[in-house]
Amino acid sequence: DGCSARCRRETHQWSRLPLTTAPPPRVGHAQTFDRQRGVLVVYGGQDPASGQNLGDTWELDGERWRETTPAGGGGPGPRSAAALAYDERRQVVVLFGGIGVGVDRLDDTWEYDGDAWVLVDTLHRPAPQSVPGMVSDGTQLLLFPTQSSVLGDPPTLWAYDGNDWAPRTHAPGPPLDGFSTDLVFDRVREVIVL
């Protein structure tokens, strides 16, 4: 109610959306919200029954799911445990890394504009990653790796500006090596919450 002088407690409840279509079951998929188009974008993951990695793209507009995998394939290919974030400044979804076929960690960067996936050939890049965290701070994307490039070294924070990746120094924080990382940018306080 805006919390006037007479605030009242508001209660919200989850409700199931009456969706007639949905992506096949999956685990280890990547997802982010595309603010410009108002859709949740889901990429890849792993089929829990077969263990096969998936390479499909789905969007949820709040009322219905639709598969948007480009005709004829194209795109990042089957993978699970990738990072996916919306780049607010450039209004594209960016995917990094993951686990490809044969359990190989990947270090590629892809961009998706709602129509097509495009591979971005960067001069620099983080070490191959699975389950990294990635978030936009409104000016750039920040990747919090879960694997070090050198055994025993702490993972390095990386920034992506739409052209290239660059390592960034940051204050010591919680150990991230080997764990999944979920992140969100708090616009009010202008901080990333891990």
Side-chain angles (χ1 to χ4, degrees), residues 40-70:
L40 175 72
V41 178
V42 173
Y43 187 82
Q46 189 177 74
D47 180 319
S50 70
Q52 296 293 313
N53 280 345
L54 305 168
D56 53 352
T57 306
W58 287 82
E59 294 180 356
L60 174 65
D61 64 8
E63 295 181 11
R64 68 181 179 95
W65 282 102
R66 72 181 181 101
E67 185 174 8
T68 60
T69 305

Side-chain angles (χ1 to χ4, degrees), residues 77-142:
R79 69 183 65 206
S80 60
L84 196 67
Y86 179 66
D87 183 334
E88 296 182 38
R89 184 176 57 82
R90 297 179 319 107
Q91 300 178 345
V92 295
V93 170
V94 177
L95 179 143
F96 180 83
I99 299 175
V101 177
V103 193
D104 289 328
R105 290 184 187 149
L106 304 168
D107 65 354
D108 51 351
T109 302
W110 290 81
E111 293 184 354
Y112 175 69
D113 63 4
D115 292 320
W117 285 99
V118 176
L119 177 63
V120 181
D121 186 21
T122 60
L123 182 60
H124 305 96
R125 64 185 67 168
Q129 296 290 315
S130 61
V131 294
M134 189 163 56
V135 67
S136 172
D137 69 1
T139 61
Q140 62 190 344
L141 290 179
L142 298 169

